Short mmCIF file of all heavy atoms in Angstrom, two decimals:
data_model
loop_
_atom_site.label_atom_id
_atom_site.label_comp_id
_atom_site.label_asym_id
_atom_site.label_seq_id
_atom_site.Cartn_x
_atom_site.Cartn_y
_atom_site.Cartn_z
N MET O 64 -15.39 4.50 -17.68
CA MET O 64 -15.08 5.65 -16.85
C MET O 64 -15.28 5.32 -15.37
O MET O 64 -14.44 5.64 -14.55
CB MET O 64 -15.96 6.83 -17.29
CG MET O 64 -15.78 8.07 -16.47
SD MET O 64 -14.29 8.88 -16.95
CE MET O 64 -14.48 10.41 -16.11
N ALA O 65 -16.40 4.69 -15.04
CA ALA O 65 -16.70 4.37 -13.64
C ALA O 65 -15.72 3.34 -13.11
O ALA O 65 -15.32 3.40 -11.94
CB ALA O 65 -18.12 3.87 -13.51
N LEU O 66 -15.32 2.40 -13.95
CA LEU O 66 -14.38 1.38 -13.51
C LEU O 66 -13.00 1.99 -13.21
O LEU O 66 -12.34 1.59 -12.25
CB LEU O 66 -14.26 0.29 -14.58
CG LEU O 66 -13.49 -0.96 -14.20
CD1 LEU O 66 -14.16 -1.63 -12.99
CD2 LEU O 66 -13.44 -1.92 -15.36
N LYS O 67 -12.61 2.98 -13.99
CA LYS O 67 -11.33 3.65 -13.76
C LYS O 67 -11.36 4.44 -12.46
O LYS O 67 -10.39 4.43 -11.69
CB LYS O 67 -11.00 4.56 -14.94
CG LYS O 67 -10.79 3.79 -16.23
CD LYS O 67 -10.69 4.70 -17.41
CE LYS O 67 -10.65 3.88 -18.69
NZ LYS O 67 -10.72 4.70 -19.88
N LEU O 68 -12.47 5.10 -12.18
CA LEU O 68 -12.60 5.84 -10.93
C LEU O 68 -12.65 4.88 -9.74
O LEU O 68 -12.12 5.18 -8.67
CB LEU O 68 -13.83 6.73 -10.96
CG LEU O 68 -13.78 7.89 -11.95
CD1 LEU O 68 -15.09 8.64 -11.95
CD2 LEU O 68 -12.63 8.82 -11.64
N LEU O 69 -13.28 3.73 -9.94
CA LEU O 69 -13.32 2.73 -8.89
C LEU O 69 -11.92 2.19 -8.61
O LEU O 69 -11.56 1.92 -7.45
CB LEU O 69 -14.26 1.59 -9.29
CG LEU O 69 -14.58 0.56 -8.23
CD1 LEU O 69 -15.32 1.20 -7.07
CD2 LEU O 69 -15.41 -0.55 -8.83
N PHE O 70 -11.11 2.05 -9.64
CA PHE O 70 -9.73 1.60 -9.49
C PHE O 70 -8.92 2.62 -8.70
O PHE O 70 -8.12 2.26 -7.84
CB PHE O 70 -9.12 1.35 -10.88
CG PHE O 70 -7.88 0.52 -10.87
CD1 PHE O 70 -7.92 -0.81 -10.48
CD2 PHE O 70 -6.66 1.04 -11.26
CE1 PHE O 70 -6.79 -1.59 -10.47
CE2 PHE O 70 -5.52 0.28 -11.25
CZ PHE O 70 -5.58 -1.04 -10.85
N ILE O 71 -9.13 3.91 -8.97
CA ILE O 71 -8.46 4.96 -8.22
C ILE O 71 -8.92 4.94 -6.76
O ILE O 71 -8.10 5.07 -5.84
CB ILE O 71 -8.71 6.34 -8.87
CG1 ILE O 71 -8.03 6.41 -10.23
CG2 ILE O 71 -8.21 7.47 -7.97
CD1 ILE O 71 -8.36 7.64 -11.03
N LEU O 72 -10.20 4.76 -6.53
CA LEU O 72 -10.72 4.69 -5.17
C LEU O 72 -10.14 3.49 -4.43
O LEU O 72 -9.79 3.59 -3.24
CB LEU O 72 -12.25 4.61 -5.19
CG LEU O 72 -12.93 4.53 -3.84
CD1 LEU O 72 -12.71 5.82 -3.06
CD2 LEU O 72 -14.40 4.25 -4.00
N PHE O 73 -10.01 2.36 -5.10
CA PHE O 73 -9.39 1.19 -4.50
C PHE O 73 -7.94 1.49 -4.13
O PHE O 73 -7.45 1.06 -3.08
CB PHE O 73 -9.47 0.00 -5.47
CG PHE O 73 -8.86 -1.26 -4.94
CD1 PHE O 73 -9.41 -1.91 -3.86
CD2 PHE O 73 -7.73 -1.79 -5.53
CE1 PHE O 73 -8.85 -3.08 -3.36
CE2 PHE O 73 -7.16 -2.95 -5.05
CZ PHE O 73 -7.71 -3.60 -3.96
N GLY O 74 -7.24 2.24 -4.97
CA GLY O 74 -5.87 2.63 -4.66
C GLY O 74 -5.79 3.51 -3.43
O GLY O 74 -4.90 3.35 -2.59
N VAL O 75 -6.74 4.42 -3.27
CA VAL O 75 -6.77 5.28 -2.09
C VAL O 75 -7.00 4.45 -0.83
O VAL O 75 -6.36 4.66 0.20
CB VAL O 75 -7.84 6.38 -2.25
CG1 VAL O 75 -8.06 7.13 -0.95
CG2 VAL O 75 -7.46 7.34 -3.36
N VAL O 76 -7.91 3.48 -0.93
CA VAL O 76 -8.17 2.60 0.22
C VAL O 76 -6.92 1.80 0.58
O VAL O 76 -6.57 1.66 1.76
CB VAL O 76 -9.36 1.66 -0.08
CG1 VAL O 76 -9.49 0.58 0.97
CG2 VAL O 76 -10.64 2.46 -0.18
N LEU O 77 -6.21 1.30 -0.42
CA LEU O 77 -4.97 0.56 -0.16
C LEU O 77 -3.92 1.44 0.49
O LEU O 77 -3.20 1.00 1.39
CB LEU O 77 -4.42 -0.04 -1.46
CG LEU O 77 -4.98 -1.37 -1.90
CD1 LEU O 77 -4.39 -1.75 -3.25
CD2 LEU O 77 -4.72 -2.45 -0.89
N VAL O 78 -3.80 2.68 0.04
CA VAL O 78 -2.83 3.60 0.63
C VAL O 78 -3.16 3.85 2.10
O VAL O 78 -2.28 3.78 2.97
CB VAL O 78 -2.78 4.93 -0.16
CG1 VAL O 78 -2.03 6.00 0.62
CG2 VAL O 78 -2.12 4.73 -1.51
N LEU O 79 -4.42 4.12 2.39
CA LEU O 79 -4.82 4.39 3.77
C LEU O 79 -4.63 3.15 4.66
O LEU O 79 -4.15 3.26 5.79
CB LEU O 79 -6.26 4.87 3.82
CG LEU O 79 -6.53 6.22 3.16
CD1 LEU O 79 -8.01 6.54 3.17
CD2 LEU O 79 -5.73 7.32 3.84
N TRP O 80 -5.01 1.98 4.14
CA TRP O 80 -4.84 0.76 4.91
C TRP O 80 -3.36 0.45 5.11
O TRP O 80 -2.94 -0.01 6.18
CB TRP O 80 -5.55 -0.40 4.22
CG TRP O 80 -5.50 -1.67 5.00
CD1 TRP O 80 -4.79 -2.78 4.70
CD2 TRP O 80 -6.17 -1.95 6.23
NE1 TRP O 80 -4.98 -3.74 5.66
CE2 TRP O 80 -5.83 -3.25 6.62
CE3 TRP O 80 -7.03 -1.21 7.04
CZ2 TRP O 80 -6.31 -3.84 7.77
CZ3 TRP O 80 -7.51 -1.81 8.19
CH2 TRP O 80 -7.15 -3.09 8.54
N GLY O 81 -2.54 0.71 4.10
CA GLY O 81 -1.09 0.49 4.23
C GLY O 81 -0.48 1.40 5.28
O GLY O 81 0.38 0.97 6.06
N LYS O 82 -0.90 2.66 5.31
CA LYS O 82 -0.41 3.60 6.34
C LYS O 82 -0.79 3.10 7.73
O LYS O 82 0.02 3.14 8.65
CB LYS O 82 -0.98 5.01 6.12
CG LYS O 82 -0.46 5.72 4.91
CD LYS O 82 0.90 6.29 5.15
CE LYS O 82 0.79 7.53 6.01
NZ LYS O 82 2.07 8.15 6.24
N TYR O 83 -2.02 2.62 7.88
CA TYR O 83 -2.47 2.10 9.17
C TYR O 83 -1.65 0.87 9.57
O TYR O 83 -1.21 0.76 10.71
CB TYR O 83 -3.96 1.74 9.09
CG TYR O 83 -4.46 1.01 10.31
CD1 TYR O 83 -4.69 1.69 11.50
CD2 TYR O 83 -4.68 -0.36 10.27
CE1 TYR O 83 -5.14 1.02 12.63
CE2 TYR O 83 -5.13 -1.04 11.39
CZ TYR O 83 -5.36 -0.35 12.57
OH TYR O 83 -5.79 -1.01 13.68
N ARG O 84 -1.43 -0.03 8.62
CA ARG O 84 -0.67 -1.25 8.92
C ARG O 84 0.77 -0.94 9.26
O ARG O 84 1.37 -1.59 10.12
CB ARG O 84 -0.71 -2.21 7.73
CG ARG O 84 -2.02 -2.83 7.38
CD ARG O 84 -2.36 -4.06 8.18
NE ARG O 84 -1.30 -5.03 8.27
CZ ARG O 84 -1.25 -6.16 7.56
NH1 ARG O 84 -2.19 -6.44 6.70
NH2 ARG O 84 -0.25 -7.00 7.73
N MET O 85 1.36 0.07 8.60
CA MET O 85 2.74 0.43 8.89
C MET O 85 2.88 0.97 10.32
O MET O 85 3.91 0.79 10.95
CB MET O 85 3.26 1.46 7.89
CG MET O 85 3.62 0.88 6.55
SD MET O 85 4.53 2.01 5.51
CE MET O 85 3.26 3.13 4.99
N LYS O 86 1.87 1.63 10.82
CA LYS O 86 1.93 2.18 12.17
C LYS O 86 1.67 1.13 13.24
O LYS O 86 2.17 1.25 14.36
CB LYS O 86 0.91 3.31 12.32
CG LYS O 86 1.27 4.54 11.54
CD LYS O 86 0.25 5.63 11.76
CE LYS O 86 0.62 6.85 10.94
NZ LYS O 86 -0.36 7.92 11.09
N THR O 87 0.87 0.12 12.94
CA THR O 87 0.42 -0.80 13.99
C THR O 87 1.04 -2.19 13.94
O THR O 87 0.97 -2.90 14.94
CB THR O 87 -1.11 -0.96 13.93
OG1 THR O 87 -1.48 -1.48 12.65
CG2 THR O 87 -1.80 0.35 14.16
N ASP O 88 1.61 -2.61 12.84
CA ASP O 88 2.14 -3.97 12.73
C ASP O 88 3.36 -4.17 13.62
O ASP O 88 4.15 -3.26 13.84
CB ASP O 88 2.52 -4.32 11.29
CG ASP O 88 1.34 -4.81 10.50
OD1 ASP O 88 0.25 -4.92 11.07
OD2 ASP O 88 1.51 -5.09 9.30
N ASP O 89 3.51 -5.40 14.11
CA ASP O 89 4.66 -5.78 14.90
C ASP O 89 5.40 -6.87 14.15
O ASP O 89 4.83 -7.53 13.28
CB ASP O 89 4.20 -6.27 16.27
CG ASP O 89 5.33 -6.23 17.29
OD1 ASP O 89 6.33 -5.53 17.03
OD2 ASP O 89 5.21 -6.91 18.32
N ALA O 90 6.67 -7.04 14.47
CA ALA O 90 7.48 -8.06 13.79
C ALA O 90 8.41 -8.71 14.80
O ALA O 90 8.60 -8.22 15.91
CB ALA O 90 8.28 -7.43 12.66
N PHE O 91 8.98 -9.84 14.40
CA PHE O 91 9.92 -10.56 15.26
C PHE O 91 11.26 -9.84 15.34
O PHE O 91 11.95 -9.94 16.34
CB PHE O 91 10.15 -11.98 14.72
CG PHE O 91 8.91 -12.80 14.73
CD1 PHE O 91 8.38 -13.28 13.55
CD2 PHE O 91 8.27 -13.12 15.91
CE1 PHE O 91 7.25 -14.06 13.54
CE2 PHE O 91 7.12 -13.89 15.92
CZ PHE O 91 6.61 -14.36 14.74
N VAL O 92 11.65 -9.16 14.27
CA VAL O 92 12.96 -8.54 14.18
C VAL O 92 12.78 -7.04 13.99
O VAL O 92 11.90 -6.59 13.27
CB VAL O 92 13.75 -9.13 12.97
CG1 VAL O 92 15.09 -8.45 12.81
CG2 VAL O 92 13.91 -10.62 13.12
N GLY O 93 13.64 -6.27 14.63
CA GLY O 93 13.65 -4.83 14.43
C GLY O 93 13.27 -4.08 15.70
O GLY O 93 12.29 -4.42 16.36
N LYS O 94 14.07 -3.08 16.01
CA LYS O 94 13.79 -2.27 17.19
C LYS O 94 12.90 -1.09 16.85
O LYS O 94 12.05 -0.70 17.63
CB LYS O 94 15.10 -1.77 17.81
CG LYS O 94 15.94 -2.87 18.40
CD LYS O 94 17.20 -2.34 19.03
CE LYS O 94 18.02 -3.48 19.60
NZ LYS O 94 19.26 -3.01 20.20
N THR O 95 13.10 -0.51 15.69
CA THR O 95 12.29 0.64 15.28
C THR O 95 11.16 0.17 14.37
O THR O 95 11.22 -0.92 13.79
CB THR O 95 13.15 1.67 14.53
OG1 THR O 95 13.63 1.08 13.32
CG2 THR O 95 14.33 2.15 15.38
N GLN O 96 10.14 0.98 14.25
CA GLN O 96 9.00 0.62 13.41
C GLN O 96 9.41 0.53 11.93
O GLN O 96 8.89 -0.30 11.19
CB GLN O 96 7.86 1.65 13.59
CG GLN O 96 6.55 1.22 12.99
CD GLN O 96 5.98 -0.01 13.66
OE1 GLN O 96 6.14 -0.22 14.84
NE2 GLN O 96 5.30 -0.84 12.89
N LYS O 97 10.37 1.35 11.53
CA LYS O 97 10.84 1.32 10.14
C LYS O 97 11.47 -0.04 9.82
O LYS O 97 11.19 -0.64 8.78
CB LYS O 97 11.85 2.44 9.91
CG LYS O 97 12.38 2.52 8.51
CD LYS O 97 13.34 3.68 8.35
CE LYS O 97 13.89 3.75 6.96
NZ LYS O 97 14.84 4.86 6.80
N ARG O 98 12.30 -0.53 10.73
CA ARG O 98 12.94 -1.84 10.50
C ARG O 98 11.92 -2.98 10.56
O ARG O 98 12.02 -3.95 9.82
CB ARG O 98 14.05 -2.06 11.50
CG ARG O 98 15.24 -1.18 11.20
CD ARG O 98 16.38 -1.48 12.11
NE ARG O 98 17.43 -0.52 11.87
CZ ARG O 98 18.71 -0.82 11.87
NH1 ARG O 98 19.09 -2.04 12.12
NH2 ARG O 98 19.61 0.10 11.64
N LYS O 99 10.93 -2.85 11.44
CA LYS O 99 9.89 -3.86 11.51
C LYS O 99 9.10 -3.90 10.21
O LYS O 99 8.76 -4.97 9.71
CB LYS O 99 8.94 -3.58 12.68
CG LYS O 99 9.56 -3.81 14.03
CD LYS O 99 8.59 -3.46 15.14
CE LYS O 99 9.24 -3.59 16.50
NZ LYS O 99 8.32 -3.25 17.57
N ASN O 100 8.82 -2.72 9.64
CA ASN O 100 8.09 -2.67 8.38
C ASN O 100 8.90 -3.28 7.24
O ASN O 100 8.35 -3.98 6.40
CB ASN O 100 7.71 -1.23 8.04
CG ASN O 100 6.60 -0.71 8.92
OD1 ASN O 100 5.75 -1.46 9.37
ND2 ASN O 100 6.61 0.58 9.18
N LEU O 101 10.19 -3.01 7.22
CA LEU O 101 11.04 -3.59 6.16
C LEU O 101 11.12 -5.11 6.31
O LEU O 101 11.08 -5.84 5.31
CB LEU O 101 12.43 -2.97 6.20
CG LEU O 101 12.49 -1.50 5.76
CD1 LEU O 101 13.89 -0.96 5.95
CD2 LEU O 101 12.05 -1.36 4.32
N PHE O 102 11.21 -5.61 7.54
CA PHE O 102 11.23 -7.05 7.76
C PHE O 102 9.91 -7.67 7.30
O PHE O 102 9.90 -8.71 6.64
CB PHE O 102 11.48 -7.36 9.24
CG PHE O 102 11.43 -8.83 9.56
CD1 PHE O 102 12.49 -9.65 9.22
CD2 PHE O 102 10.33 -9.38 10.18
CE1 PHE O 102 12.44 -11.01 9.50
CE2 PHE O 102 10.27 -10.73 10.46
CZ PHE O 102 11.34 -11.55 10.13
N ASN O 103 8.79 -7.03 7.65
CA ASN O 103 7.49 -7.54 7.22
C ASN O 103 7.37 -7.54 5.70
O ASN O 103 6.76 -8.44 5.12
CB ASN O 103 6.36 -6.73 7.84
CG ASN O 103 6.08 -7.11 9.27
OD1 ASN O 103 6.47 -8.18 9.71
ND2 ASN O 103 5.44 -6.22 9.99
N LEU O 104 7.94 -6.54 5.03
CA LEU O 104 7.91 -6.50 3.57
C LEU O 104 8.67 -7.68 2.99
O LEU O 104 8.22 -8.31 2.03
CB LEU O 104 8.47 -5.18 3.06
CG LEU O 104 8.53 -5.03 1.54
CD1 LEU O 104 7.13 -5.01 0.95
CD2 LEU O 104 9.28 -3.76 1.16
N LEU O 105 9.83 -7.99 3.57
CA LEU O 105 10.62 -9.11 3.07
C LEU O 105 9.92 -10.45 3.31
O LEU O 105 9.97 -11.34 2.48
CB LEU O 105 12.00 -9.12 3.73
CG LEU O 105 12.93 -7.98 3.33
CD1 LEU O 105 14.20 -8.04 4.16
CD2 LEU O 105 13.27 -8.06 1.86
N VAL O 106 9.26 -10.58 4.45
CA VAL O 106 8.64 -11.85 4.81
C VAL O 106 7.27 -12.01 4.16
O VAL O 106 6.96 -13.04 3.58
CB VAL O 106 8.52 -11.99 6.34
CG1 VAL O 106 7.72 -13.21 6.73
CG2 VAL O 106 9.90 -12.05 6.96
N HIS O 107 6.44 -10.97 4.25
CA HIS O 107 5.04 -11.09 3.82
C HIS O 107 4.79 -10.53 2.41
O HIS O 107 3.73 -10.79 1.85
CB HIS O 107 4.12 -10.36 4.80
CG HIS O 107 4.17 -10.93 6.17
ND1 HIS O 107 3.68 -12.18 6.48
CD2 HIS O 107 4.65 -10.42 7.32
CE1 HIS O 107 3.87 -12.41 7.76
NE2 HIS O 107 4.46 -11.35 8.31
N GLY O 108 5.69 -9.75 1.90
CA GLY O 108 5.50 -9.19 0.57
C GLY O 108 4.38 -8.16 0.53
O GLY O 108 4.34 -7.25 1.34
N GLN O 109 3.45 -8.32 -0.40
CA GLN O 109 2.39 -7.33 -0.60
C GLN O 109 1.42 -7.28 0.57
O GLN O 109 0.73 -6.29 0.75
CB GLN O 109 1.65 -7.63 -1.90
CG GLN O 109 0.90 -6.45 -2.48
CD GLN O 109 -0.48 -6.27 -1.87
OE1 GLN O 109 -1.11 -7.22 -1.43
NE2 GLN O 109 -0.94 -5.05 -1.84
N ALA O 110 1.37 -8.30 1.39
CA ALA O 110 0.45 -8.30 2.53
C ALA O 110 0.92 -7.40 3.67
O ALA O 110 0.18 -7.17 4.61
CB ALA O 110 0.27 -9.73 3.05
N SER O 111 2.15 -6.91 3.59
CA SER O 111 2.65 -6.01 4.62
C SER O 111 2.14 -4.60 4.38
O SER O 111 1.57 -4.28 3.34
CB SER O 111 4.18 -6.00 4.61
OG SER O 111 4.65 -5.38 3.43
N GLY O 112 2.34 -3.74 5.35
CA GLY O 112 1.88 -2.36 5.24
C GLY O 112 2.54 -1.61 4.09
O GLY O 112 1.88 -0.90 3.33
N ILE O 113 3.85 -1.78 3.95
CA ILE O 113 4.56 -1.10 2.86
C ILE O 113 4.10 -1.63 1.51
O ILE O 113 3.92 -0.86 0.56
CB ILE O 113 6.09 -1.27 3.02
CG1 ILE O 113 6.58 -0.56 4.28
CG2 ILE O 113 6.82 -0.72 1.80
CD1 ILE O 113 8.04 -0.77 4.57
N GLY O 114 3.88 -2.93 1.42
CA GLY O 114 3.41 -3.53 0.17
C GLY O 114 2.05 -3.00 -0.23
O GLY O 114 1.81 -2.68 -1.40
N GLN O 115 1.14 -2.88 0.71
CA GLN O 115 -0.18 -2.34 0.42
C GLN O 115 -0.10 -0.87 0.05
O GLN O 115 -0.79 -0.40 -0.85
CB GLN O 115 -1.11 -2.55 1.61
CG GLN O 115 -1.48 -3.97 1.82
CD GLN O 115 -2.32 -4.18 3.05
OE1 GLN O 115 -2.55 -3.27 3.82
NE2 GLN O 115 -2.78 -5.40 3.23
N PHE O 116 0.75 -0.14 0.74
CA PHE O 116 0.92 1.29 0.45
C PHE O 116 1.44 1.49 -0.97
O PHE O 116 0.89 2.30 -1.74
CB PHE O 116 1.89 1.90 1.47
CG PHE O 116 2.12 3.36 1.30
CD1 PHE O 116 1.17 4.28 1.71
CD2 PHE O 116 3.30 3.83 0.75
CE1 PHE O 116 1.37 5.63 1.55
CE2 PHE O 116 3.52 5.18 0.60
CZ PHE O 116 2.55 6.08 1.00
N LEU O 117 2.46 0.74 -1.34
CA LEU O 117 3.03 0.87 -2.69
C LEU O 117 2.05 0.39 -3.76
O LEU O 117 1.96 1.00 -4.84
CB LEU O 117 4.34 0.10 -2.78
CG LEU O 117 5.49 0.63 -1.93
CD1 LEU O 117 6.70 -0.27 -2.03
CD2 LEU O 117 5.84 2.05 -2.32
N SER O 118 1.30 -0.65 -3.48
CA SER O 118 0.29 -1.13 -4.42
C SER O 118 -0.81 -0.10 -4.61
O SER O 118 -1.32 0.08 -5.71
CB SER O 118 -0.32 -2.44 -3.94
OG SER O 118 0.66 -3.44 -3.90
N GLY O 119 -1.19 0.59 -3.55
CA GLY O 119 -2.19 1.64 -3.64
C GLY O 119 -1.72 2.79 -4.50
O GLY O 119 -2.48 3.31 -5.33
N ILE O 120 -0.47 3.19 -4.33
CA ILE O 120 0.08 4.26 -5.16
C ILE O 120 0.10 3.84 -6.62
O ILE O 120 -0.25 4.62 -7.51
CB ILE O 120 1.50 4.65 -4.67
CG1 ILE O 120 1.39 5.34 -3.31
CG2 ILE O 120 2.20 5.56 -5.67
CD1 ILE O 120 2.71 5.65 -2.66
N LEU O 121 0.48 2.60 -6.88
CA LEU O 121 0.50 2.09 -8.25
C LEU O 121 -0.90 2.05 -8.85
O LEU O 121 -1.09 2.42 -10.02
CB LEU O 121 1.14 0.70 -8.28
CG LEU O 121 1.41 0.12 -9.65
CD1 LEU O 121 2.44 0.97 -10.38
CD2 LEU O 121 1.91 -1.30 -9.51
N CYS O 122 -1.90 1.66 -8.07
CA CYS O 122 -3.29 1.65 -8.55
C CYS O 122 -3.75 3.06 -8.92
O CYS O 122 -4.43 3.26 -9.93
CB CYS O 122 -4.23 1.07 -7.50
SG CYS O 122 -4.24 -0.69 -7.39
N ILE O 123 -3.41 4.03 -8.09
CA ILE O 123 -3.80 5.41 -8.37
C ILE O 123 -3.15 5.90 -9.66
O ILE O 123 -3.81 6.51 -10.51
CB ILE O 123 -3.44 6.32 -7.17
CG1 ILE O 123 -4.30 5.97 -5.96
CG2 ILE O 123 -3.60 7.79 -7.54
CD1 ILE O 123 -3.86 6.63 -4.68
N ILE O 124 -1.86 5.62 -9.81
CA ILE O 124 -1.15 6.06 -11.02
C ILE O 124 -1.74 5.40 -12.26
O ILE O 124 -1.99 6.07 -13.28
CB ILE O 124 0.36 5.76 -10.89
CG1 ILE O 124 0.97 6.67 -9.82
CG2 ILE O 124 1.07 5.95 -12.23
CD1 ILE O 124 2.40 6.32 -9.46
N ILE O 125 -1.99 4.10 -12.21
CA ILE O 125 -2.55 3.39 -13.36
C ILE O 125 -3.95 3.91 -13.67
O ILE O 125 -4.32 4.08 -14.84
CB ILE O 125 -2.56 1.87 -13.11
CG1 ILE O 125 -1.13 1.34 -13.11
CG2 ILE O 125 -3.40 1.14 -14.15
CD1 ILE O 125 -1.01 -0.10 -12.69
N GLY O 126 -4.75 4.18 -12.64
CA GLY O 126 -6.09 4.71 -12.85
C GLY O 126 -6.08 6.08 -13.51
O GLY O 126 -6.88 6.36 -14.41
N ILE O 127 -5.15 6.95 -13.09
CA ILE O 127 -5.05 8.29 -13.69
C ILE O 127 -4.59 8.19 -15.12
O ILE O 127 -5.13 8.86 -16.02
CB ILE O 127 -4.12 9.17 -12.85
CG1 ILE O 127 -4.78 9.50 -11.51
CG2 ILE O 127 -3.76 10.45 -13.59
CD1 ILE O 127 -3.88 10.20 -10.51
N VAL O 128 -3.60 7.33 -15.40
CA VAL O 128 -3.13 7.14 -16.77
C VAL O 128 -4.25 6.58 -17.65
O VAL O 128 -4.43 6.98 -18.79
CB VAL O 128 -1.88 6.24 -16.79
CG1 VAL O 128 -1.52 5.81 -18.20
CG2 VAL O 128 -0.70 6.95 -16.15
N ALA O 129 -5.03 5.65 -17.09
CA ALA O 129 -6.13 5.03 -17.86
C ALA O 129 -7.22 6.05 -18.19
O ALA O 129 -7.91 5.90 -19.20
CB ALA O 129 -6.72 3.88 -17.08
N LEU O 130 -7.37 7.07 -17.37
CA LEU O 130 -8.36 8.12 -17.67
C LEU O 130 -7.99 8.89 -18.94
O LEU O 130 -8.87 9.33 -19.68
CB LEU O 130 -8.49 9.10 -16.49
CG LEU O 130 -9.29 8.61 -15.29
CD1 LEU O 130 -9.19 9.63 -14.17
CD2 LEU O 130 -10.73 8.39 -15.67
N PHE O 131 -6.70 9.05 -19.18
CA PHE O 131 -6.25 9.83 -20.33
C PHE O 131 -6.06 9.00 -21.59
O PHE O 131 -6.01 9.54 -22.69
CB PHE O 131 -4.94 10.56 -20.00
CG PHE O 131 -5.13 11.63 -18.94
CD1 PHE O 131 -4.61 11.46 -17.68
CD2 PHE O 131 -5.86 12.76 -19.21
CE1 PHE O 131 -4.77 12.42 -16.69
CE2 PHE O 131 -6.04 13.74 -18.24
CZ PHE O 131 -5.51 13.56 -16.99
N ILE O 132 -5.96 7.68 -21.43
CA ILE O 132 -5.81 6.79 -22.58
C ILE O 132 -7.17 6.20 -22.91
O ILE O 132 -7.86 5.71 -22.05
CB ILE O 132 -4.80 5.68 -22.28
CG1 ILE O 132 -3.42 6.28 -22.05
CG2 ILE O 132 -4.75 4.68 -23.42
CD1 ILE O 132 -2.39 5.26 -21.63
N LYS O 133 -7.53 6.21 -24.17
CA LYS O 133 -8.83 5.65 -24.56
C LYS O 133 -8.74 4.18 -24.82
O LYS O 133 -7.87 3.56 -25.14
CB LYS O 133 -9.35 6.35 -25.80
CG LYS O 133 -9.80 7.75 -25.50
CD LYS O 133 -10.50 8.32 -26.69
CE LYS O 133 -11.04 9.70 -26.30
NZ LYS O 133 -11.81 10.27 -27.35
#
């Protein structure tokens, strides 16, 4: 039970960190922040802000599902 809640908490941290990275990251290509974030996702993968944000959402979903499955 505690490990599942810790997994959900880790997902929340990833979501918050991903939101922060999406607002502050810079890239070589792209005029708008949205395009810079998409370029960073293509180049850096999960290490980009969008990648961390999506991974956090996935962690939260998996943690919630794991709470209901024994």
Side-chain angles (χ1 to χ4, degrees):
M64 177 77 169
L66 189 60
K67 295 171 187 173
L68 293 176
L69 189 63
F70 197 65
I71 293 172
L72 180 65
F73 180 66
V75 170
V76 170
L77 276 176
V78 166
L79 294 175
W80 184 251
K82 290 282 284 182
Y83 172 75
R84 292 276 312 258
M85 283 192 285
K86 290 181 181 179
T87 60
D88 275 358
D89 200 17
F91 297 117
V92 178
K94 293 181 181 179
T95 64
Q96 192 64 33
K97 181 178 179 181
R98 288 185 186 219
K99 289 178 184 180
N100 287 330
L101 290 175
F102 177 76
N103 281 341
L104 179 65
L105 291 174
V106 172
H107 298 292
Q109 201 275 332
S111 69
I113 295 175
Q115 290 176 354
F116 182 77
L117 294 176
S118 296
I120 291 174
L121 189 64
C122 281
I123 293 170
I124 291 171
I125 291 172
I127 291 172
V128 169
L130 284 174
F131 294 110
I132 296 175
K133 288 189 175 184

